[in-house]
Amino acid sequence: MANCNTETMEAANNKLFQPPDDLLNSAHVQGMDNYRKMYNKSINDPEAFWGEIAKDFHWESQPSGKFFDYNFDYTKGPIFIKWMEGARTNICYNVLDRHIERGLGDKIAFYWEGNDPTDTGKITFQELKTEVCKFANVLKNLGIQKGDRVAIYMPMITELVVAMLACARLGVIHSIVFGGYSSEALASRVLDAKCCAILTADGMWRGTKLINLKTIVDGAIQLCEKSGYHVDHCVMVRHLSPDEQESEPEEGDTQPTPAKRPVKRLKINWVNSRDKWWHELMGEMNTKEGKTCDPVWCNAEDPLFMLYTSGSTGKPKGVLHTVGGYMIYTATTFKYVFDYQPDDIFWCTADVGWITGHSYVCYGPLANGATGVIFEGIPYYPDAGRYWEIVEKFKVTKFYTAPTAIRCLMKYGDDFVNKYDLSSLKVLGSVGEPINPEAWLWYYNVVGKSKCAIVDTFWQTETGGHVLTPLPGATPTKPGSATFPFFGVVPAILTAEGKEVSGPIEEGYLVFKQPWPGIMRTVYENHERFETTYFKKFPGYYCTGDGARRDEDGYIWITGRIDDMVNVSGHLISTAEIESALIQHPSVAEAAVVSHPHSVKGESTYCFIVLNEGHVMTEKLKTELKVKVRSKIGPFAQPDHIQYAPGLPKTRSGKIMRRILRKIAVGDSNLGDTSTLADESVIDLLLQHRPEEL
Ligand code: WT7
C-alpha cells in the first residue's frame, strides 16, 4: 500500500495493542477466552447461539421447519441459505415499536447535522415511528405494496431513514442508490429492479457544491422511458429552504459565502402526473389514521432490500438481503463490535447509499435502540476539523469511518483534532479497505489519545455485516489486521489449487465455509450469477474476491482484491465498467484500466487508452474521457490518470496482461516473466508515454 514505510510497518506489526482497561472490565465480551467460548458455541451450535439472540426480537410466528439450512456446494445442487424460514416478523416493528413498548419512545434515535454547521435536528424513537407510519401510508395510497421495488436517491437526511423504514414496514423492497451516481447509473438500477417509484430530494449541498438531484432523477426517468419502462411516481423532499427562490444557480455552482446556507433555490422540473412533494403528501397524514400503520408481517426469508455493487464483468449486481437474518446479524455485530451501551452516541460517517450506511447508520443501531448521528456533509467543510467538532458537539462515544477519510484528515495535521474535546470517544472503527499502519496509529494516538479500542472491520455488501473484526474489550489488535472472525463466521485461506492452509500463509484466497445469518441470498433475479460469482471458483466455499494472509499468531490480514476491482476511497469500482464507458468515446479504440496506489484514496484508477486512427491524446480529450465516465457511472468513479497507449500488452490468445500494466502504471520496468507476450516492443513504448507528473 502507498504511504507505508516499511520500518513503521514492521514495528507496528510486532506490537500488540491490548484492549483499554475499562473495556476489558466492562465490555459485553471481556478478554480472548470469553471471545473463544462464544465463538465456539456459535460454530458448534448455530441454532442455539442465534436462537437465543432471536428471542430478543418480536416474531409473529416461529420457523415452520429447520432453524437454518443451506447448501454451499453447487456440485450438489443449487446454492441456498435459509435462516428461520417461515417465521414471521417485521424489521421496522422490531427497530421502532419494540423499543417504544419498552419505554424508549422519548429517547433520541438520531441527531441530524447538515452540511452547514448551523443546520441541526433531532428525532426521538416515537417521532420517527410516527413519520415512518405516515410515509408508509403515503406509499400505500400510491398503490405500492409488499414485494414492489422502490428506488431511493436521497441526501443524508432523516427522511432517507424514514423512507427505508416505511418500505420495510410494508414489505416493500428498497433499492437505495448512492447520491453520487449519474442519471445513467440510476436508470440502469431502476430498470434492473423495475422500481415503480423513485424517492428523492430537490438538491443537496456537499461542502460548497450544489447538486441538483431532481435533474439527475429526471434524466434517469427519461432514460427508462427510452427503454420502454415507465416510472409511476417520483416523491421529492424539499430539502433546500423555501426562501431560496429568485434565481437558480446551476449544478456545480459554489456558494458565495461558504459557511452559509444556500441563498438561491434550484430550478426544479415538474411532471404533474408523476411528481409529488413529500411534505404535501405527509401533510395529508396528520390524522389519527394517517399516523398509524400496522406492520405487514413478512417471512424471515422475504427480501428486505437490494443494493447494487460493482461486478467484475462490469454490470452491477443487485445484492439481495432478507428480513430475518439481516436483522439479527446487523443487531448482533453492532452490539459486540462497537460494544454498544445504552448511553452511547454512535456515529457512522458512511452514506446510507452504501451497505455500511444500511447496516450501521440505520438497521444495526436502531435494532439496539441506540442514538445515532446522521451527517449530511463532508469531512473537510467548512474545515478539516468538522468531524471532531461534531464528535465534541454530540459527545460521540463510538465513531466509525473509512481509512481514506483518516488519511485525508491526517494530512491537515493534528491541530484540527486537538482543538476539540474528544474525551467521550471509546471505540474507533475503520471500514472499507485495508488500513495502513500509519493511518491506524494516527487514529489510535491522535484521535483516540491512546485510550480507545480500534476495530478494523472487514466485510462486504454481500456479507451484510462485519465478518472479520476485533472486539473492543477482547481482542489485542495489530495495526492493519482485521484479526479474527465474528461469531458464526468460519474463514479459510485457500491456495490457488483450492487447498485449505491451517497455519501461517503468505497469501491466499479468503473464503468462508458456512453461512451466517446476514449473508446475501441471491443476486436479484439472477441466481446463476450469484452462484458463478461466489461459489464456482472453489466448490463448497463462499469466495470473497479478496486475498489474505495469516501470520504466526493466527491474525488475518487482508491483502486486497484478487479480481479486476479497484477500491477507490473505500468504494469498489469495476475496471470493466470504466473501460466500457471509455470505449464509448469515438476517439477510443481500446481501453485498459488498472489500480494505481494513491496516498489518500488507497487506490486510484489508471487508464491506458489506445486511440483510433487519426486521433491524438490531448488535454481536451482527457477531459472528455473523464466526463464520459462521470456521466456513465458518477463523479466518484472519474479516472485519476489517463495515459496514451500505442498498444496494449497481450498474450498470443489476445488477453490483456494487466499484471504488466499495473507495473507500467507505477513506472516499474522490472516486469517479471513476459514470455507469453505476443509483442514485447509495446512495453518500452508504454513506459515512454507515462505522464511526467507521476
Ligand atoms: C470490499 C467490499 C464493507 C463495507 C464497505 C465496502 C474491502 C472492506 C475492509 C477492511 C480490508 C476491506 C474488501 C472487500 N474491504 N473492509 N477492513 N480491510 N479491506 O463494501 O463496496 O462491498 O466492498 O472492500 O476488498 O471485499 P463493498
Side-chain angles (χ1 to χ4, degrees):
M1 163 139 299
N3 216 15
C4 267
N5 120 11
T6 23
E7 224 170 275
T8 333
M9 201 159 146
E10 270 166 26
N13 283 359
N14 291 333
K15 187 168 173 199
L16 275 180
F17 289 77
Q18 296 299 333
D21 285 343
D22 57 333
L23 288 175
L24 258 178
N25 300 317
S26 68
H28 292 298
V29 186
Q30 300 167 17
M32 280 307 266
D33 287 347
N34 286 321
Y35 158 74
R36 280 191 208 99
K37 258 188 229 151
M38 282 179 78
Y39 178 75
N40 290 340
K41 181 174 176 199
S42 76
I43 302 308
N44 298 336
D45 195 351
E47 174 158 355
F49 183 86
W50 295 106
E52 209 160 295
I53 287 170
K55 279 192 200 141
D56 273 349
F57 293 84
H58 174 84
W59 305 88
E60 274 288 292
S61 65
Q62 292 306 307
S64 43
K66 285 190 188 168
F67 185 84
F68 115 98
D69 197 8
Y70 74 102
N71 173 36
F72 256 27
D73 187 347
Y74 80 95
T75 63
K76 297 194 176 133
I79 304 291
F80 72 92
I81 301 132
K82 286 178 179 166
W83 287 87
M84 302 183 74
E85 167 81 303
R88 290 187 314 142
T89 188
N90 182 287
I91 192 169
C92 176
Y93 180 89
N94 273 288
V95 306
L96 297 176
D97 310 46
R98 187 170 59 101
H99 301 307
I100 295 165
E101 283 157 20
R102 291 178 188 179
L104 289 186
D106 293 333
K107 186 173 177 181
I108 305 282
F110 289 110
Y111 289 106
W112 177 76
E113 167 95 3
N115 180 63
D116 183 301
T118 60
D119 261 355
T120 50
K122 58 181 174 207
I123 188 164
T124 64
F125 275 87
Q126 179 58 57
E127 288 163 347
L128 183 57
K129 181 187 157 188
T130 305
E131 290 300 289
V132 168
C133 286
K134 281 164 67 180
F135 196 67
N137 285 327
V138 166
L139 291 174
K140 268 202 229 169
N141 284 355
L142 294 175
I144 299 172
Q145 38 177 302
K146 182 165 186 275
D148 290 346
R149 279 82 49 216
V150 165
I152 304 181
Y153 186 77
M154 277 196 192
M156 284 285 283
I157 52 180
T158 319
E159 287 86 345
L160 170 53
V161 173
V162 172
M164 305 166 78
L165 294 176
C167 288
R169 199 166 186 88
L170 300 178
V172 169
I173 306 168
H174 59 72
S175 170
I176 305 187
V177 180
F178 169 61
Y181 278 108
S182 66
S183 294
E184 282 195 45
L186 174 58
S188 72
R189 285 156 176 76
V190 169
L191 279 171
D192 187 71
K194 300 194 188 55
C195 296
C196 59
I198 304 184
L199 313 176
T200 188
D202 45 4
M204 64 174 174
W205 290 93
R206 284 188 65 74
T208 58
K209 223 166 174 206
L210 177 61
I211 294 153
N212 190 330
L213 289 176
K214 180 59 164 46
T215 306
I216 299 172
V217 170
D218 285 340
I221 293 177
Q222 273 163 20
L223 286 167
C224 291
E225 298 279 349
K226 271 199 202 152
S227 308
Y229 184 76
H230 180 71
V231 177
D232 297 331
H233 311 286
C234 175
V235 181
M236 182 170 57
V237 174
R238 189 158 76 188
H239 178 47
L240 305 180
S241 74
D243 55 343
E244 296 156 351
Q245 303 248 359
E246 277 97 58
S247 77
E248 301 93 18
E250 294 300 319
E251 183 180 344
D253 270 5
T254 50
Q255 276 173 274
T257 40
K260 287 270 161 57
R261 281 184 61 85
V263 279
K264 308 289 180 212
R265 265 190 69 203
L266 293 168
K267 187 175 178 184
I268 301 297
N269 285 330
W270 199 262
V271 177
N272 267 332
S273 59
R274 182 194 72 203
D275 294 344
K276 308 202 166 56
W277 281 113
W278 172 288
H279 62 270
E280 286 178 1
L281 297 175
M282 290 290 264
E284 292 163 16
M285 295 299 156
N286 283 327
T287 57
K288 193 160 173 270
E289 304 78 61
K291 288 179 180 173
T292 47
C293 172
D294 288 339
V296 172
W297 300 114
C298 301
N299 184 328
E301 282 300 334
D302 278 344
L304 171 62
F305 67 83
M306 50 208 285
L307 180 59
Y308 286 84
T309 183
S310 303
S312 52
T313 56
K315 193 178 179 293
K317 312 180 277 265
V319 168
L320 192 100
H321 285 286
T322 54
V323 175
Y326 179 83
M327 173 170 82
I328 57 180
Y329 198 68
T330 51
T332 310
T333 48
F334 177 79
K335 173 177 169 186
Y336 290 111
V337 174
F338 300 111
D339 188 46
Y340 171 66
Q341 302 294 340
D343 56 353
D344 271 335
I345 309 290
F346 179 77
W347 181 22
C348 165
T349 67
D351 195 290
V352 170
W354 305 111
I355 190 70
T356 310
H358 281 63
S359 301
Y360 301 111
V361 173
C362 182
Y363 290 111
L366 290 179
N368 283 274
T371 298
V373 176
I374 298 178
F375 175 44
E376 183 194 17
I378 52 175
Y380 34 86
Y381 175 82
D383 65 38
R386 187 70 191 277
Y387 273 6
W388 321 123
E389 182 191 335
I390 296 173
V391 168
E392 178 183 281
K393 179 168 170 184
F394 297 115
K395 299 196 170 47
V396 171
T397 53
K398 314 279 162 82
F399 178 71
Y400 193 30
T401 196
T404 185
I406 299 167
R407 287 191 295 265
C408 168
L409 295 175
M410 224 172 126
K411 284 201 165 176
Y412 287 94
D414 301 359
D415 290 352
F416 279 109
V417 189
N418 294 337
K419 267 201 339 221
Y420 299 96
D421 175 6
L422 306 185
S423 57
S424 54
L425 288 172
K426 293 188 173 119
V427 177
L428 302 173
S430 170
V431 60
E433 50 178 317
I435 180 166
N436 49 311
E438 282 82 350
W440 195 103
L441 290 169
W442 187 80
Y443 204 24
Y444 181 80
N445 290 319
V446 180
V447 178
K449 318 286 182 233
S450 315
K451 63 166 190 58
C452 295
I454 305 263
V455 286
D456 174 3
T457 61
F458 168 87
W459 57 297
Q460 310 177 297
T461 305
E462 293 87 338
T463 69
H466 311 134
V467 281
L468 299 179
T469 177
L471 299 185
T475 319
T477 48
K478 297 188 185 190
S481 168
T483 73
F484 302 110
F486 187 73
F487 305 135
V489 174
V490 186
I493 302 180
L494 304 184
T495 64
E497 294 74 41
K499 283 229 151 43
E500 266 186 50
V501 179
S502 53
I505 169 168
E506 225 10 83
E507 186 168 4
Y509 294 82
L510 177 68
V511 298
F512 295 111
K513 294 167 73 164
Q514 63 186 53
W516 54 93
I519 190 176
M520 72 185 288
R521 301 302 197 259
T522 190
V523 169
Y524 184 72
E525 298 214 315
N526 199 344
H527 199 66
E528 196 188 327
R529 190 162 178 211
F530 173 59
E531 296 182 330
T532 316
T533 312
Y534 306 102
F535 294 95
K536 289 234 161 123
K537 194 173 175 66
F538 300 114
Y541 300 97
Y542 165 87
C543 183
T544 59
D546 284 288
R549 70 184 173 90
R550 195 189 287 113
D551 70 16
E552 54 291 347
D553 302 321
Y555 282 68
I556 299 176
W557 303 71
I558 305 297
T559 51
R561 299 293 302 185
I562 42 159
D563 49 14
D564 294 326
M565 305 282 255
V566 185
N567 192 325
V568 181
S569 301
H571 304 316
L572 274 194
I573 305 177
S574 131
T575 51
E577 203 177 351
I578 301 178
E579 287 161 7
S580 73
L582 290 168
I583 52 171
Q584 287 180 23
H585 190 284
S587 304
V588 177
E590 242 186 319
V593 179
V594 296
S595 157
H596 185 262
H598 189 284
S599 63
V600 172
K601 298 180 183 181
E603 292 179 45
S604 59
T605 49
Y606 193 111
C607 313
F608 291 90
I609 307 286
V610 181
L611 295 171
N612 282 318
E613 277 294 309
H615 293 259
V616 281
M617 183 58 80
T618 56
E619 284 311 311
K620 181 165 166 280
L621 176 55
K622 285 189 184 173
T623 310
E624 285 173 20
L625 293 174
K626 288 182 182 171
V627 169
K628 193 87 207 167
V629 178
R630 289 173 72 96
S631 76
K632 287 275 155 194
I633 307 172
F636 70 95
Q638 171 174 304
D640 296 281
H641 311 288
I642 296 179
Q643 136 156 33
Y644 164 70
L648 296 172
K650 291 186 181 168
T651 60
R652 283 179 198 93
S653 60
K655 201 168 182 299
I656 297 172
M657 295 186 72
R658 290 168 191 279
R659 172 176 67 78
I660 290 183
L661 288 176
R662 275 193 285 272
K663 292 234 170 175
I664 292 172
V666 294
D668 181 353
S669 52
N670 185 6
L671 301 174
D673 182 11
T674 54
S675 60
T676 53
L677 267 182
D679 171 15
E680 283 198 56
S681 68
V682 74
I683 304 277
D684 282 342
L685 291 171
L686 284 172
L687 281 166
Q688 280 165 27
H689 281 97
R690 282 186 79 240
E692 271 163 21
E693 74 270 11
L694 281 169

